[in-house]
C-alpha cells in the first residue's frame, strides 16, 4: 500500500477516542494521558519546545513522509527508536503553548502539510483551529476484540441493514477487529438467524454476527455501538 494511502487511512489510529478539529489538526481527548499511537511505521524522534509544541514526537516514515504528535505529557519510546504502525509513542497532555489536554497531529510530504482523511472525511491543510470537527470511531466505543469470520463472499455494509451499500467483500475467512455491535436487520444463513451486527474497524463497515466465528448471537465482551 502506498505511504500516502497508509497515512490517510491510519490517521484514525492516533487515539482510542479522539475528536479531530481544525488544521493543523488537534485531536482532543479526555482524560489527560490517553495513549497516542503511530499512524504508520518509521523512526521516532523526541523533541521539546516549551514555548510552542511542548513535548512532541516526529516520525520519519520514508519517501518524504513525516508525522508530528505535539503537546504530549510523556514519551513512550526512545529517541531514534524504530516504531510500528499502531505502536504507542506517547500520551496526551497540555505541554507547551496549550490551553488543555489534546494532541495536535500533522502529516507532511517533503515538508508540505497534507490533508488528513478519517472515516472518509477530510480535514484540509492549512486551515484555522475550530473550523472543522470530526470524530474517529476507531475504538471510541471501547477496545473491541479480534475474531475470525467464516464463509466466502461476505458483504461488509455501511450500516446494519441488508439494504445498506456494500463497502467491501470478505473473500474468505478473515481476521477482523470488531469495534462494537448493534442490532439491525435479521439475517438467515446456514440454518442460523441473527439480528446482531458487528462493526469492523479495518473494513469500516458492518457484517452480520452470523459470519463471526463465535457461538453467541451477541458477542461477549464487545460494547454496543
Amino acid at each position: 500500500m502506498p505511504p500516502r494511502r497508509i497515512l490517510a487511512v491510519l490517521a484514525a489510529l492516533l487515539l482510542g477516542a479522539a475528536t479531530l478539529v481544525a488544521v493543523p489538526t488537534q485531536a482532543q481527548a479526555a482524560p489527560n494521558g490517553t495513549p497516542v499511537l503511530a499512524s504508520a511505521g518509521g523512526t521516532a524522534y523526541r523533541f521539546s519546545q516549551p514555548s510552542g509544541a511542548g513535548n512532541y514526537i516526529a516520525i520519519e516514515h520514508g519517501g518524504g513522509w513525516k508525522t508530528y504528535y505535539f503537546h504530549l505529557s510523556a514519551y513512550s519510546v526512545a529517541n531514534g527508536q524504530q516504531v510500528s504502525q499502531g505502536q504507542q509513542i506517547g500520551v496526551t497532555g497540555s505541554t507547551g503553548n496549550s490551553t488543555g489536554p489534546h494532541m495536535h497531529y500533522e502529516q507532511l510530504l517533503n515538508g508540505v502539510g497534507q490533508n488528513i482523511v478519517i472515516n472518509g472525511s477530510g480535514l484540509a491543510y492549512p486551515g484555522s483551529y475550530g473550523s472543522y470537527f470530526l470524530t474517529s470511531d476507531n475504538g471510541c466505543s471501547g477496545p473491541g476484540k479480534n475474531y475470525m469470520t467464516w464463509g466466502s463472499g461476505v458483504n461488509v455494509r455501511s450500516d446494519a441493514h441488508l439494504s445498506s451499500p456494500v463497502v467491501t467483500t470478505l473473500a474468505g475467512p478473515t481476521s477482523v477487529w470488531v469495534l462494537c455491535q448493534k442490532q439491525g436487520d435479521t439475517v438467515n444463513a446456514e440454518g442460523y438467524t441473527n439480528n446482531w451486527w458487528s462493526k469492523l474497524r479495518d473494513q469500516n463497515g458492518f457484517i452480520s454476527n452470523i459470519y463471526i466465528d463465535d457461538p453467541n448471537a451477541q458477542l461477549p465482551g464487545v460494547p454496543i455501538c
Side-chain angles (χ1 to χ4, degrees), residues 6-158:
I6 292 173
L7 291 171
V9 173
L10 297 181
L13 287 172
L14 291 173
L15 295 172
T19 299
L20 302 185
V21 288
V23 183
T25 301
Q26 290 183 32
Q28 293 183 332
N32 189 27
T34 300
V36 174
L37 314 182
S39 58
T43 306
Y45 297 96
R46 293 163 45 160
F47 299 93
S48 181
Q49 186 184 54
S51 62
N55 300 325
Y56 71 95
I57 284 179
I59 301 181
E60 299 277 359
H61 302 284
W65 283 97
K66 180 185 288 188
T67 52
Y68 286 103
Y69 312 75
F70 297 124
H71 305 299
L72 305 176
S73 63
Y75 306 110
S76 300
V77 293
N79 188 49
Q81 180 176 330
Q82 291 294 310
V83 298
S84 58
Q85 168 205 322
Q87 180 176 342
Q88 181 172 334
I89 57 174
V91 292
T92 56
S94 187
T95 57
N97 186 11
S98 169
T99 58
H102 72 286
M103 205 264 312
H104 173 141
Y105 171 74
E106 293 184 21
Q107 292 177 7
L108 290 85
L109 175 60
N110 297 323
V112 179
Q114 303 295 303
N115 292 354
I116 297 169
V117 179
I118 294 182
N119 297 347
S121 298
L123 298 174
Y125 189 108
S128 59
Y129 291 113
S131 59
Y132 299 98
F133 293 84
L134 147 62
T135 299
S136 164
D137 61 10
N138 180 20
C140 290
S141 298
K145 293 180 68 175
N146 182 250
Y147 288 93
M148 285 296 298
T149 67
W150 65 272
S152 60
V154 176
N155 289 328
V156 180
R157 299 183 179 274
S158 62

